[in-house]
Amino acid sequence: MKAKKLAAVALSLCLTVPMFSTIVSAADGSLMFSDPQTKVGEEVSVDLVVRSGNSAVGDADITMSYDTSALQFESGEGVTADSDGKLTYSGSGDGTAKELRTTMTFKALKMGDTTITVDSSKAYLYSDETLTLDQGSSAIKIGQADDGSTEIEANGSESTGAATDITVNVNGTDYNFSEEFATSAIPVGYSETTKTFNGEEHKFVANEAGVTLGYLVDASGEGKFFLYNEDDSTFVPYTELKISDTTSIILLADNGGAKLPDSYQEGELTVADQTYPYWANPENDRYDLLYAVNTRTGEKGFYQYDSQDGTYQSIDVQTTDSTKKEAKGIVGKLESLVKEHPIVLLAGGALIVVVLLVLMIMFAVKLVHRNQELDDLYDEYDIPFEDEEDDEPVAAKKSDRKAFGRKKVKDDDYDDGYDDDFNDDYDAFDDEYADYDFDDDYDDDYDDEYDAPTGNTRNLGRSAKKSKKGRKSDDYDVDFIDL
């Protein structure tokens, strides 16, 4: 009995496993359209929705057909059209949404019922699992116009201009500038405008940020839009990538001379038959750098592509380098300056040294000339130096005293002449009065007068006083100089 029960359990498991595998591998979704109503001559919108079950939608490519006699395609985000009535939709999910949605705009040309049918579809979940779509179609009912008309011709909006003979070269290939492009070919978010090109006003298309596109036709007659640069009147290939619900970028082949970190290496990337440069870090192959213009802001810059998440992010490459730690502060700035401009710094340092050397030489020459001028001045006016003045004998300074009632004149030239005259006068006085004995005569007179009093003491006092006065009047104040 137990053996039978075990066998039954084993059989149940064997039957259950294939069922689970079938459920896991299956991912069903739906492709739905709206069924609008309109009138002849009016525009009509058709909604397209790609919806999954409970998983996030990844990529979807839908090919459709419509009657060009009944409808004229105008626009649609992610939708392109050709002249044969074929429409192609391409969309990508963000990893969270469970559906993709877009709106196509048509112009009704003929009263009646018409349809938009699906030729083929291919869709995936965000996990790269195949999404099987239950295809639908759009039924459009077109009524009579308000003026009673039931049909109109496709107006000139399908062709907005004429071709020109202006030749434009883009990456080595010659094109002719043309204004003959269909309205349906204008990218979403752009509208017709006029720009000055080749000295004249011509038709272009531009968005609100000022990003301008021009239509060029190659030798085979195939035309497409190119990105137009108003600064130098040149064209570059136009490849737009949607990076968010509101923002797209247009890849550029020129990085504008921006300096990249040394660790990045340049490579080539092919997108829509066009080649663009990219820069990769060998030490981290997950991220790549692309140079592009933002269609929402019109600004150019680098964008980092995450190959694992499939996302783009604006990045400042001047301040981001994951392989090198930059020094901070003044030291870091000096190091960066030395590394970036070594020749300029060396030339500047050499110039400073030369200037300082020239200044030193000039000051030295000026100092030598000044000393020579001072020496000549001292020699010319016989001015003694400070050390010579200190060495003069103390006796020589006695000449500052009074000699025979005269004062010394401070002027040097006058002193020399006065000293000579004084010496001559003194020598003559010495010779004349050398034998004259002043002391003997004075003592004899004084003794005689003192020894012979008249007996009158009053007269003696008066005589003494008189004698003293006479002595005082005959006395000389003479300073003798030891020569």
Side-chain angles (χ1 to χ4, degrees):
M1 181 65 85
K2 291 182 178 181
K4 291 182 179 180
K5 290 182 178 180
L6 291 174
V9 172
L11 181 60
S12 299
L13 291 174
C14 292
L15 294 175
T16 303
V17 170
M19 289 178 61
F20 278 116
S21 63
T22 301
I23 294 174
V24 171
S25 62
D28 295 333
S30 59
L31 175 58
M32 299 179 293
F33 294 88
S34 61
D35 299 324
Q37 294 182 3
T38 187
K39 296 178 181 181
V40 174
E42 295 182 355
E43 289 188 350
V44 60
S45 298
V46 178
D47 294 331
L48 182 155
V49 180
V50 177
R51 183 174 295 168
S52 67
N54 296 322
S55 302
V57 179
D59 300 329
D61 294 313
I62 313 296
T63 302
M64 299 161 283
S65 298
Y66 69 102
D67 185 0
T68 57
S69 64
L71 297 172
Q72 177 179 298
F73 177 76
E74 296 289 337
S75 64
E77 184 175 359
V79 180
T80 58
D82 58 24
S83 59
D84 297 332
K86 297 293 183 180
L87 301 173
T88 302
Y89 166 73
S90 297
S92 299
D94 58 3
T96 59
K98 298 179 181 179
E99 67 177 25
L100 298 177
R101 182 183 293 269
T102 190
T103 299
M104 298 176 292
T105 303
F106 298 87
K107 187 174 185 179
L109 303 178
K110 183 173 62 174
M111 186 179 69
D113 296 337
T114 185
T115 59
I116 300 175
T117 60
V118 177
D119 295 337
S120 64
S121 64
K122 183 169 57 176
Y124 300 91
L125 295 176
Y126 198 77
S127 60
D128 291 336
E129 185 179 352
T130 301
L131 179 63
T132 302
L133 299 177
D134 183 12
Q135 300 176 0
S137 61
S138 175
I140 304 172
K141 183 178 287 293
I142 303 174
Q144 187 178 6
D146 294 338
D147 59 358
S149 60
T150 59
E151 185 178 358
I152 62 173
E153 295 291 335
N155 56 34
S157 62
E158 281 287 342
S159 178
T160 62
T164 66
D165 295 332
I166 302 174
T167 302
V168 178
N169 186 278
V170 180
N171 295 337
T173 303
D174 290 334
Y175 297 87
N176 285 335
F177 178 79
S178 176
E179 297 175 308
E180 191 175 358
F181 51 85
T183 305
S184 58
I186 299 176
V188 177
Y190 293 81
S191 59
E192 291 184 17
T193 185
T194 57
K195 299 287 183 181
T196 302
F197 173 63
N198 200 36
E200 298 179 354
E201 293 290 324
H202 292 281
K203 289 185 178 181
F204 290 81
V205 296
N207 66 2
E208 295 180 356
V211 179
T212 306
L213 306 178
Y215 197 71
L216 303 181
V217 180
D218 61 13
S220 64
E222 182 180 356
K224 55 184 176 181
F225 284 100
F226 286 76
L227 181 64
Y228 176 63
N229 188 349
E230 296 185 58
D231 295 335
D232 54 7
S233 299
T234 58
F235 294 84
V236 295
Y238 166 67
T239 303
E240 185 170 331
L241 300 177
K242 186 176 181 180
I243 63 175
S244 69
D245 293 338
T246 59
T247 305
S248 299
I249 59 174
I250 301 174
L251 299 180
L252 299 176
D254 184 12
N255 66 357
K259 185 177 181 180
L260 293 169
D262 296 335
S263 58
Y264 282 84
Q265 296 180 357
E266 184 175 350
E268 289 186 351
L269 176 68
T270 300
V271 180
D273 299 330
Q274 297 293 336
T275 301
Y276 299 94
Y278 75 94
W279 294 267
N281 187 350
E283 298 181 2
N284 190 353
D285 57 357
R286 176 178 176 177
Y287 302 103
D288 296 328
L289 292 181
L290 299 170
Y291 195 72
V293 57
N294 190 308
T295 58
R296 182 174 58 85
T297 63
E299 297 179 353
K300 298 178 181 179
F302 283 95
Y303 289 82
Q304 182 174 264
Y305 173 68
D306 189 335
S307 59
Q308 294 185 6
D309 296 340
T311 58
Y312 296 85
Q313 184 178 8
S314 177
I315 185 173
D316 184 4
V317 298
Q318 300 295 339
T319 58
T320 302
D321 187 357
S322 59
T323 62
K324 180 176 66 174
K325 294 182 179 180
E326 297 182 356
K328 298 180 179 180
I330 298 177
V331 177
K333 293 180 180 179
L334 290 176
E335 291 180 357
S336 177
L337 183 63
V338 170
K339 291 180 180 179
E340 294 178 0
H341 309 286
I343 298 178
V344 175
L345 291 177
L346 289 176
L351 180 61
I352 292 174
V353 171
V354 171
V355 171
L356 291 176
L357 184 60
V358 171
L359 291 176
M360 291 175 62
I361 294 174
M362 291 174 60
F363 287 138
V365 171
K366 283 184 171 289
L367 184 60
V368 170
H369 287 307
R370 177 180 175 277
N371 291 338
Q372 290 178 351
E373 291 175 357
L374 289 176
D375 291 342
D376 295 340
L377 182 63
Y378 276 90
D379 292 341
E380 182 178 356
Y381 293 99
D382 197 18
I383 301 175
F385 295 100
E386 294 181 358
D387 53 351
E388 294 179 356
E389 292 180 355
D390 295 339
D391 293 340
E392 289 182 1
V394 178
K397 295 183 180 181
K398 294 182 180 179
S399 59
D400 292 338
R401 301 178 182 177
K402 295 180 180 180
F404 295 98
R406 299 183 183 178
K407 290 185 179 179
K408 180 182 177 181
V409 181
K410 293 182 179 180
D411 186 81
D412 292 338
D413 295 337
Y414 183 77
D415 287 346
D416 294 338
Y418 178 77
D419 291 341
D420 294 337
D421 295 339
F422 178 77
N423 291 333
D424 295 337
D425 295 339
Y426 182 77
D427 292 338
F429 176 80
D430 192 21
D431 293 337
E432 183 179 356
Y433 298 100
D435 297 332
Y436 188 82
D437 189 359
F438 292 96
D439 294 338
D440 294 339
D441 295 338
Y442 178 78
D443 292 340
D444 292 339
D445 294 338
Y446 180 78
D447 291 339
D448 293 339
E449 185 177 2
Y450 183 78
D451 292 339
T454 57
N456 190 351
T457 56
R458 292 183 181 179
N459 293 333
L460 178 61
R462 293 178 182 175
S463 178
K465 291 181 180 180
K466 186 177 180 180
S467 177
K468 289 181 180 180
K469 289 181 180 181
R471 180 184 177 186
K472 184 176 181 181
S473 60
D474 296 334
D475 198 2
Y476 290 94
D477 186 7
V478 178
D479 289 335
F480 291 92
I481 299 175
D482 186 3
L483 300 178

